[in-house]
């Protein structure tokens, strides 16, 4: 379960951009700075901060001399339930979620406009629904969704030919009482 400091660390806009770059593969502070249009000193600092919490790690054997290569550390990131969050944690998470949803929507709409061809042309599934469940059932539903995602997360050497990264999102919220 992530605490307030780790959540603050991840919610930083530049660190979010860094994480997106790291998901593409290992980087050095220099290559990352070039990709993001930032200074090497700044990217190096943020990589070290992310490493403190285990979100990134050095890649052994890639660096020469003082060169350090970094990679993303995939893991299930869980946050305290909303009722257990302090007002400060809730404010940080709410701000982060707003930014993430806005960015996700912009990237999704951009992908729709890309005019994809070939077998990936129809690869934009969308579903919207409602379910009537108890809090416990919703928890189980979410865990089943996470388990399904992990079924398809695999090392690069086990990925079938032609596979691409596909972004998935899950969010659920209870309808307010009386509606």
């Amino acid at each position: 379960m992530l605490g307030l400091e780790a959540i603050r660390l991840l919610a930083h806009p530049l660190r979010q951009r860094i994480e997106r770059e790291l998901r593409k593969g290992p980087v050095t502070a220099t290559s990352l700075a070039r990709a993001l249009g930032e200074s090497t000193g700044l990217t190096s600092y943020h990589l070290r901060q992310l490493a403190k919490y285990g979100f990134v790690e050095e890649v052994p054997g890639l660096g020469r001399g003082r060169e350090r290569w970094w990679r993303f550390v995939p893991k299930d990131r869980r946050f305290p339930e909303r009722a257990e969050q302090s007002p400060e944690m809730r404010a940080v998470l709410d701000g982060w979620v707003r930014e993430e949803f806005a960015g996700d929507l912009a990237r999704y709409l951009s992908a729709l406009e890309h005019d994809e061809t070939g077998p990936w042309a129809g690869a934009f599934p969308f579903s919207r629904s409602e379910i009537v469940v108890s809090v416990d059932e919703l928890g189980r539903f979410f865990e089943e969704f996470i388990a399904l995602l992990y079924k398809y997360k695999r090392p690069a050497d086990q990925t079938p030919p032609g596979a691409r990264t596909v972004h998935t999102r899950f969010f659920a919220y209870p309808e307010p009482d009386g509606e």
Side-chain angles (χ1 to χ4, degrees):
M1 198 70 58
L2 295 177
L4 179 59
E5 290 308 312
I7 292 168
R8 269 198 189 120
L9 183 90
L10 291 171
H12 189 282
L14 179 55
R15 292 185 187 126
Q16 291 174 28
R17 292 174 52 214
I18 288 171
E19 184 174 308
R20 279 193 292 277
E21 282 299 313
L22 282 164
R23 287 176 184 265
K24 297 175 186 175
V27 299
T28 63
T30 302
S31 67
L32 184 61
R34 198 175 311 115
L36 298 177
E38 301 290 346
S39 75
T40 301
L42 189 61
T43 56
S44 179
Y45 168 78
H46 286 292
L47 285 166
R48 288 191 313 273
Q49 294 302 305
L50 288 163
K52 270 188 201 177
Y53 288 87
F55 298 124
V56 304
E57 64 187 7
E58 276 192 69
V59 182
L62 276 186
R64 284 174 275 158
R66 293 182 52 190
E67 182 181 66
R68 297 168 79 178
W69 284 83
W70 300 89
R71 67 179 161 214
F72 174 74
V73 176
K75 62 171 124 180
D76 191 4
R77 297 179 184 168
R78 299 292 175 113
F79 309 107
E81 289 187 17
R82 197 159 176 82
E84 298 169 8
Q85 297 170 10
S86 68
E88 188 176 10
M89 180 182 282
R90 187 175 290 172
V92 172
L93 273 171
D94 287 355
W96 183 17
V97 166
R98 279 186 198 91
E99 290 295 320
E100 285 289 301
F101 279 169
D104 285 345
L105 180 59
R107 286 184 290 278
Y108 176 76
L109 294 174
S110 176
L112 286 177
E113 294 170 1
H114 187 267
D115 206 20
E116 185 73 47
T117 60
W120 288 94
F124 294 88
F126 178 82
S127 176
R128 184 170 183 252
S129 187
E130 298 169 356
I131 55 176
V132 179
V133 294
S134 69
V135 171
D136 289 340
E137 288 173 319
L138 179 59
R140 287 193 301 276
F141 183 90
F142 179 69
E143 293 304 326
E144 289 175 24
F145 172 79
I146 296 299
L148 183 61
L149 283 178
Y150 276 92
K151 176 181 173 184
Y152 290 93
K153 286 185 181 235
R154 54 196 164 211
D157 64 341
Q158 295 175 15
T159 303
R164 289 170 54 179
T165 297
V166 174
H167 299 274
T168 60
R169 302 296 181 257
F170 175 90
F171 71 99
Y173 54 93
E175 190 170 278
D177 282 338
E179 289 189 19

